[in-house]
Amino acid sequence: MKEKRRYGKAVYFISSNINKFYEVREVLNEFGLSTVLLRLRKVEVQSDSIEEVARRSAELTAKELGLNVVTEDAGLFIKALNGFPGPYSSYVYRTLGNQGILKLMEGVDERDAEFRSAVAFAEPEGEVKVFVGVVKGEIARKIASGRKFGFDPIFVPVGCGGKTFAELDVREKNKVSHRGIAFRKFAEWYTSLLKLKFK
Ligand code: ITT
């Protein structure tokens, strides 16, 4: 007998990063969805594309757990460094940190950068959907105080009065952030799917 797929108001988000969870929970809540964090490391996928990393890790994890899951791969892309650290953001944050990035940017006037997020939804047997969000901004000249999540203290998004992401609260950040944009796209798609299923 064909197993019935389960769609529900709870979204299983696979991530080792608690700061991501705080942000995602807020966004999905606006759509009446609750976020269940499965605090696992994403399956390691080697790729230069964040979309591909999110897609493959969601696909593999959904199969392994037998659950519909969501994963996200995100990164900071700095124009003057040809997009570095990009897909290697996690490693670079752990090794160089914000101080290391500011050092690489010493004497560089071109400060343009962007954060990108790719959110993937996978079912154990179904096709994978990917949603992308981008926010443009600049690399600050010094490390700001405030919330300490990754590169937030050195990233100044456009349209937020010159504040870094670290100086915005979660709600303010979600309004403009790569993750907020990508998860809103996912939530719009997912809630319309739920309406179809439960009509
Ligand atoms: P997962 O378990 O979800 O993969 P992760 O921390 O390894 O968590 P990513 O590979 O998606 O996440 O992100 C790479 C790094 O980029 C992350 O560890 C942060 O240092 C940084 N980063 C991503 N999104 C960020 C954001 O919104 N603000 C600040 N730094 C961010």
Side-chain angles (χ1 to χ4, degrees):
M1 198 173 72
K2 197 158 180 265
E3 204 188 317
K4 214 167 163 233
R5 281 194 195 124
R6 271 172 295 175
Y7 294 90
K9 295 222 160 187
V11 171
Y12 292 92
F13 178 44
I14 311 295
S15 179
S16 61
N17 189 322
I18 193 77
N19 291 300
K20 284 188 178 183
F21 168 68
Y22 295 142
E23 295 179 7
V24 172
R25 178 177 64 176
E26 239 266 332
V27 175
L28 296 188
N29 190 35
E30 287 166 23
F31 290 81
L33 300 169
S34 56
T35 309
V36 179
L37 177 65
L38 298 183
R39 208 162 178 187
L40 307 169
R41 274 228 147 264
K42 280 201 306 265
V43 180
E44 279 302 323
V45 177
Q46 292 302 318
S47 171
D48 287 350
S49 149
I50 61 166
E51 288 89 344
E52 193 51 30
V53 173
R55 172 186 296 280
R56 290 287 295 143
S57 63
E59 197 170 56
L60 294 170
T61 311
K63 282 209 168 70
E64 199 172 301
L65 301 182
L67 270 181
N68 296 350
V69 300
V70 170
T71 62
E72 187 220 27
D73 198 50
L76 176 66
F77 295 72
I78 302 175
K79 194 170 176 187
L81 305 179
N82 295 322
F84 181 83
Y88 310 106
S89 291
S90 180
Y91 177 72
V92 171
Y93 180 72
R94 277 185 278 123
T95 51
L96 297 181
N98 286 325
Q99 202 69 62
I101 296 286
L102 290 191
K103 196 131 190 64
L104 290 175
M105 294 293 285
E106 248 168 39
V108 179
D109 287 330
E110 163 63 274
R111 314 289 294 182
D112 288 1
E114 60 188 37
F115 262 120
R116 296 186 202 155
S117 159
V119 172
F121 172 84
E123 301 170 32
E125 308 297 338
E127 70 175 273
V128 185
K129 290 281 287 183
V130 181
F131 305 86
V132 173
V134 178
V135 57
K136 290 191 182 299
E138 288 189 354
I139 301 300
R141 301 262 171 195
K142 58 182 178 47
I143 299 175
S145 52
R147 288 183 314 109
K148 290 188 175 41
F149 169 15
F151 301 113
D152 275 359
I154 59 163
F155 183 80
V156 182
V158 292
C160 294
K163 286 184 181 171
T164 61
F165 263 164
E167 296 162 285
L168 303 178
D169 64 32
V170 168
R171 197 168 293 228
E172 288 169 328
K173 179 180 170 187
N174 275 339
K175 273 191 199 147
V176 296
S177 78
H178 52 313
R179 181 165 301 107
I181 295 168
F183 270 93
R184 276 193 292 276
K185 286 185 189 169
F186 158 73
E188 270 156 25
W189 170 79
Y190 188 70
T191 48
S192 59
L193 189 78
L194 288 184
K195 278 185 200 130
L196 282 178
K197 298 270 163 207
F198 297 123
K199 209 158 47 173

